[in-house]
Amino acid sequence: MSLFRNSYVMIHNQPQDVLKSVFGYDAFRPQQADIISHVCAGGDALVLMPTGGGKSLCYQVPALVREGVAVVVSPLIALMQDQVNALKQNGVSAAFLNSSLSAAESAGVEQALLQGELKLLYVAPERLLMPRTLAQLQRIPIALFAIDEAHCVSQWGHDFRPEYRQLSVLPELFPDVPRMALTATADSATRIEIIERLGLAEAGVFASGFDRPNIRYRITENRGNARGQLLSFIRDEHPGEAGIVYCLSRKRVDETARWLGLNGIRALPYHAGMAAEDRQRNQDEFLRQDAVVMVATIAFGMGIDKPDVRFVAHLNLPKSIESYYQETGRAGRDGLAADAWMVYGLQDVITLRQMQESSQAQDSRKRVERQKLDAMLGLCEDTGCRRQTLLRYFDEHLEQPCGNCDNCLTPPETWDATVAAQKAMSCVYRTGQRFGVSYLIDVLRGHGQDRIRQYGHEKVSTFGVGTDLSASEWRAVYRQLISRGLLKVDVEGHGGIRLTEAARPVLKGEQTLRLRKQDRRRPSRKSALAVGLPARDNELWQALRDHRRQLAEQQGVPAYVIFHDATLAEMVERQPQSLEQLERLPGVGERKLVNYGEGFLAVIREHAAPRAGKKDAVAETVRLCSEGLDPLAIARQRDLTVQTVYRHLARAIREGELELADVAEISPAELDSIQMAFDASPSGTLKPVYDALEGAYDYGVLECVRASLAAAE
Ligand code: ADP
Ligand code: ZN
């Protein structure tokens, strides 16, 4: 008896049919269609697509269209299981081979493979390259080879895997099988290496842009309470949602996770200093649950394929835009709205500048590091569209400001800071270029007399010239001067500040300087649901998530493998009442419809009650009204306010279920005068009408008249 009997191997001819019936989606994304038809026709492909772009479908669909098994090479053992689970949920027979399997399990998979029962096989590269595996594959029809995370072949990249280089045997052993290389990291050097190593000289190259339009970039100033700012951000905008918080040090990871926990947020730590099994447990929980916040060093994240990460927060500045882009890219892979949120301040700037200055690297390397940090700091201090700056870094040009970053949404103010900068910098000079920012600010503001007197700095010309700005405003000035490279931090690491060549033109008055005003922008509040549903749908949304969690727990798979957030959001939005209606939603394929359709419909029926309930409430009021009760009596009987009863009645009138005469006795002459009052009230609001009629009619009655006028139109 095969393990794979209850999955079915489907024979479909058209990619479009596979997309709908298996994956439940209506349309390919722009690049997907081209890639898939190219590969289905037997072509090789190099696919460069940002995270969340939809790379998996690019090989999964051809796997189902072409004859034979598709072999997917992936470096991430942890992910294979989830991918295979997700495919099985869609009724596709898939399996993986890697070192996590027992001998018996491996043998089972190999048997299924040789009997042609599999449509997709995920393998670790070292397993694929074993002579035994290669020999087995040579005996059966193969649909394609897909090499995921293909940048691992590049020895210049950060994820180099020596085994990946040996994949160059594939074109020799399987010359007729299409090969696809897929990656989200693709500078030109890496691209060239991939093409060389994997024999893709003839391959179609499909490059999608770097833009991740659903991610909202926000970089805010540390207002002296970064953790508190983080907590409000999570509470206000992402309660009960999954997210990642990046910190620089292990200590800060532990503290932040504990502190978030004390404040009622399910947060788990992750860093290289923890025992491997603790780390693994936390990672599993993060992947499987839908509301865990992972607090981590950058050790966490490679290959985190969780689609419903709703935010990535940075409590420390990344060292380069590449890192920032890669880390923030883990948010919103499902294409729904997600936040990349960062808080940064003077201390971050000083720390990074110091680290980079004191780096032991060779000069050429150091220069590169400095440029990278400059670009990152530039992004932080930017007053224009963040996305334009970010994409420009990757040589991509965005015509218009994006409208989905903090600077686009609430443009920051700038001010002419030339004089302030001159004061700040000459204070550095006059005190001997060896003090830190706090001391310099004390001198500028004439504070902290004792220490200053000790050095005789109460006599320098800049003493007390800076009372016009607050200490925190001065910090913002210094931060920006250091960010922009007019000042630098000493190499010895005492935090002493020195002038650079770039300071000269400003000091001499040859160049003016505009700086960003201190951030007083109020954080933009969104609805509680990142997916953009109105709050009244919260109950149904939560009920659907609970149901999904139960199903996932029963099967030991991550929640998103059952249905993605996007699909649940559609359920809330459209409230399907039948299997036919449910099947039209994105992400609902044939297999999931059969397995889960009725269950989710039941949840919708039960929890969509409030909307239907409103209807019932109106119906009950209408019934009592038809029985001859007046509004006051109805209100008493139903324990409602009279206003509510009138609102029900007005609604029934507007919808043609009642006539005005059923509700109130109003003569035609009276009606004329009321109508005239309405005509004279341009906004259509009730107050002017009520006043014009000198309070002769209740607001409720007027509301009903207005409804009947609207119904008559
Ligand atoms: P990548 O591997 O490129 O990061 P994935 O393959 O994980 O991205 O896809 C990201 C998300 O987009 C997944 O949730 C996937 O189901 C969804 N997706 C991919 N293609 C489509 C499509 N054509 N229509 C709707 N959703 C899609
Ligand atoms: Zn923008």
Side-chain angles (χ1 to χ4, degrees):
M1 172 71 191
S2 157
L3 273 172
F4 303 94
R5 265 304 131 70
N6 47 14
S7 295
Y8 52 94
V9 176
M10 278 164 296
I11 306 298
H12 288 277
N13 295 318
Q14 289 302 318
Q16 184 66 44
D17 297 342
V18 173
L19 183 70
K20 181 65 206 164
S21 65
V22 179
F23 298 97
Y25 297 130
D26 285 323
F28 285 113
R29 292 178 180 161
Q31 288 278 353
Q32 285 177 331
D34 296 345
I35 297 164
I36 289 169
S37 63
H38 180 80
V39 174
C40 285
D44 296 335
L46 172 57
V47 176
L48 312 162
M49 216 183 244
T51 310
K55 285 185 284 299
S56 321
L57 280 188
C58 293
Y59 56 81
Q60 289 171 347
V61 171
L64 294 173
V65 170
R66 289 177 59 86
E67 199 207 334
V69 60
V71 178
V72 185
V73 182
S74 163
L76 303 160
I77 291 184
L79 284 182
M80 294 184 190
Q81 172 99 53
D82 285 345
Q83 289 264 8
V84 167
N85 278 335
L87 283 164
K88 285 186 176 166
Q89 290 287 333
N90 283 324
V92 177
S93 62
F96 61 85
L97 275 179
N98 63 36
S99 55
S100 76
L101 294 182
S102 69
E105 287 167 330
S106 264
V109 171
E110 286 179 359
Q111 195 188 358
L113 176 70
L114 293 173
Q115 288 175 356
E117 288 176 12
L118 295 181
K119 280 311 294 174
L120 282 110
L121 176 71
Y122 286 76
V123 281
E126 58 278 6
R127 177 66 184 241
L128 170 67
L129 293 163
M130 280 164 51
R132 175 188 165 82
T133 316
L134 289 172
Q136 284 173 340
L137 290 177
Q138 281 178 303
R139 285 162 47 197
I140 56 172
I142 297 187
L144 59 95
F145 285 103
I147 294 131
D148 207 2
E149 313 285 350
H151 58 278
C152 293
V153 300
S154 164
Q155 53 185 337
W156 306 113
H158 40 85
D159 302 324
F160 177 50
R161 308 268 167 148
E163 319 82 71
Y164 258 64
R165 312 218 93 185
Q166 292 155 35
L167 292 173
S168 54
V169 301
L170 292 179
E172 291 161 29
L173 295 179
F174 304 90
D176 300 326
V177 178
R179 286 181 305 285
M180 307 177 71
L182 306 102
T183 176
T185 345
D187 54 85
S188 52
T190 311
R191 191 186 300 199
I192 290 166
E193 260 191 297
I194 295 175
I195 291 174
E196 251 169 43
R197 283 286 153 182
L198 301 177
L200 293 174
E202 313 271 288
V205 177
F206 301 88
S208 315
F210 276 94
D211 192 15
R212 301 283 313 279
N214 61 316
I215 297 185
R216 175 172 295 182
Y217 296 100
R218 294 158 61 183
I219 303 181
T220 67
E221 274 173 50
N222 184 343
R223 291 190 291 269
N225 177 20
R227 273 197 328 207
Q229 290 169 252
L230 173 71
L231 181 65
S232 329
F233 164 70
I234 298 178
R235 275 193 181 152
D236 291 350
E237 304 187 29
H238 297 285
E241 295 181 332
I244 305 175
V245 177
Y246 282 113
C247 307
L248 204 56
S249 70
R250 298 170 184 185
K251 184 159 164 271
R252 192 140 193 233
V253 165
D254 287 331
E255 285 169 3
T256 307
R258 199 173 318 121
W259 186 78
L260 285 175
L262 288 175
N263 283 284
I265 288 171
R266 180 96 186 107
L268 301 173
Y270 187 105
H271 57 69
M274 293 165 57
E277 66 264 26
D278 293 341
R279 236 173 21 208
Q280 188 62 42
R281 183 162 19 83
N282 288 355
Q283 171 166 330
D284 284 347
E285 184 167 341
F286 173 72
L287 288 176
R288 263 147 232 285
Q289 305 286 321
D290 49 14
V292 174
V293 173
M294 190 64 124
V295 186
T297 58
I298 53 171
F300 176 75
M302 160 73 177
I304 291 304
D305 229 342
K306 191 175 167 57
D308 56 355
V309 175
R310 296 268 65 90
F311 68 90
V312 169
H314 280 92
L315 281 185
N316 293 102
L317 215 59
K319 273 187 255 184
S320 67
I321 289 190
E322 283 100 329
S323 314
Y324 176 71
Y325 178 80
Q326 193 175 43
E327 285 149 27
T328 55
R330 289 166 190 146
R333 293 175 77 113
D334 55 10
L336 298 180
D339 274 302
W341 184 93
M342 178 159 83
V343 60
Y344 84 112
L346 174 65
Q347 197 49 50
D348 289 294
V349 178
I350 290 178
T351 309
L352 283 178
R353 279 279 189 235
Q354 244 163 11
M355 272 168 56
Q356 173 245 309
E357 285 291 332
S358 56
S359 143
Q360 299 296 315
Q362 287 177 336
D363 282 355
S364 58
R365 172 107 206 168
K366 239 170 131 165
R367 198 163 53 240
V368 173
E369 283 171 7
R370 184 171 325 124
Q371 282 164 357
K372 291 193 171 191
L373 180 55
D374 284 348
M376 185 65 221
L377 293 172
L379 176 68
C380 293
E381 305 291 1
D382 209 348
T383 50
C385 173
R386 308 267 193 207
R387 194 179 312 271
Q388 282 180 322
T389 306
L390 197 60
L391 292 176
R392 200 177 316 120
Y393 187 80
F394 295 111
D395 295 325
E396 234 176 80
H397 183 66
L398 187 67
E399 282 300 322
Q400 295 292 325
C402 73
N404 193 28
C405 70
D406 51 358
N407 286 351
C408 280
L409 291 166
T410 35
E413 293 173 60
T414 61
W415 59 299
D416 182 343
T418 314
V419 173
Q422 285 168 342
K423 288 179 185 172
M425 295 192 296
S426 65
C427 190
V428 170
Y429 184 72
R430 305 259 168 228
T431 53
Q433 309 204 54
R434 59 201 175 96
F435 290 91
V437 170
S438 304
Y439 183 82
L440 294 167
I441 293 175
D442 280 348
V443 174
L444 282 168
R445 305 190 73 231
H447 278 216
Q449 306 276 358
D450 284 356
R451 205 170 150 223
I452 289 173
R453 245 171 254 286
Q454 205 183 316
Y455 292 108
H457 286 155
E458 79 280 9
K459 301 195 197 78
V460 301
S461 60
T462 51
F463 181 78
V465 298
T467 47
D468 50 333
L469 298 184
S470 70
S472 81
E473 284 166 329
W474 279 117
R475 288 174 75 82
V477 170
Y478 276 111
R479 187 194 73 229
Q480 295 182 70
L481 293 172
I482 299 169
S483 290
R484 290 170 173 234
L486 278 71
L487 295 175
K488 67 176 184 181
V489 186
D490 70 9
V491 192
E492 296 78 42
H494 305 304
I497 306 290
R498 308 176 63 82
L499 296 172
T500 71
E501 269 307 301
R504 197 188 295 264
V506 177
L507 272 173
K508 285 169 127 185
E510 295 164 6
Q511 190 186 316
T512 61
L513 192 67
R514 288 198 79 78
L515 295 181
R516 210 184 148 108
K517 254 203 187 150
Q518 258 201 317
D519 228 339
R520 296 199 193 291
R521 297 177 295 177
R522 316 218 79 228
S524 69
R525 277 182 176 241
K526 286 194 290 192
S527 92
L529 299 172
V531 288
L533 297 169
R536 76 182 140 80
D537 289 326
N538 217 340
E539 188 191 328
L540 176 56
W541 169 253
Q542 292 303 343
L544 290 169
R545 294 208 332 164
D546 284 345
H547 183 61
R548 176 177 69 175
R549 186 177 312 132
Q550 277 173 5
L551 292 172
E553 276 168 5
Q554 283 161 14
Q555 302 180 49
V557 296
Y560 62 79
V561 165
I562 306 290
F563 281 127
H564 280 175
D565 280 0
T567 305
L568 297 195
E570 290 281 346
M571 288 186 198
V572 174
E573 180 73 30
R574 297 206 231 158
Q575 306 205 346
Q577 301 295 320
S578 64
L579 288 173
E580 293 75 46
Q581 290 174 1
L582 188 63
E583 192 179 14
R584 284 187 218 129
L585 304 191
V588 185
E590 287 170 1
R591 176 55 68 100
K592 286 186 180 171
L593 188 71
V594 171
N595 286 351
Y596 306 128
E598 289 297 352
F600 279 92
L601 284 176
V603 174
I604 292 168
R605 265 179 230 123
E606 183 178 345
H607 292 272
R611 277 187 197 169
K614 203 167 231 168
K615 272 222 164 108
D616 294 347
V618 174
E620 179 63 10
T621 300
V622 169
R623 193 181 65 78
L624 293 173
C625 176
S626 319
E627 284 179 4
L629 269 65
D630 67 18
L632 198 60
I634 298 174
R636 265 200 219 110
Q637 177 159 343
R638 303 200 53 207
D639 202 14
L640 298 172
T641 64
V642 186
Q643 288 92 321
T644 304
V645 171
Y646 270 117
R647 208 171 316 121
H648 289 170
L649 294 171
R651 182 164 157 173
I653 291 172
R654 201 174 315 111
E655 292 177 357
E657 291 171 42
L658 286 178
E659 307 246 338
L660 182 58
D662 298 330
V663 176
E665 282 178 34
I666 297 175
S667 72
E670 282 177 300
L671 195 58
D672 275 352
S673 66
I674 299 176
Q675 180 157 17
M676 270 163 60
F678 267 110
D679 289 344
S681 158
S683 59
T685 50
L686 295 177
K687 175 95 168 68
V689 179
Y690 181 85
D691 289 346
L693 298 167
E694 296 174 324
Y697 304 93
D698 274 351
Y699 275 107
V701 173
L702 293 177
E703 206 175 334
C704 289
V705 173
R706 183 173 61 183
S708 83
L709 293 174
E713 270 173 9

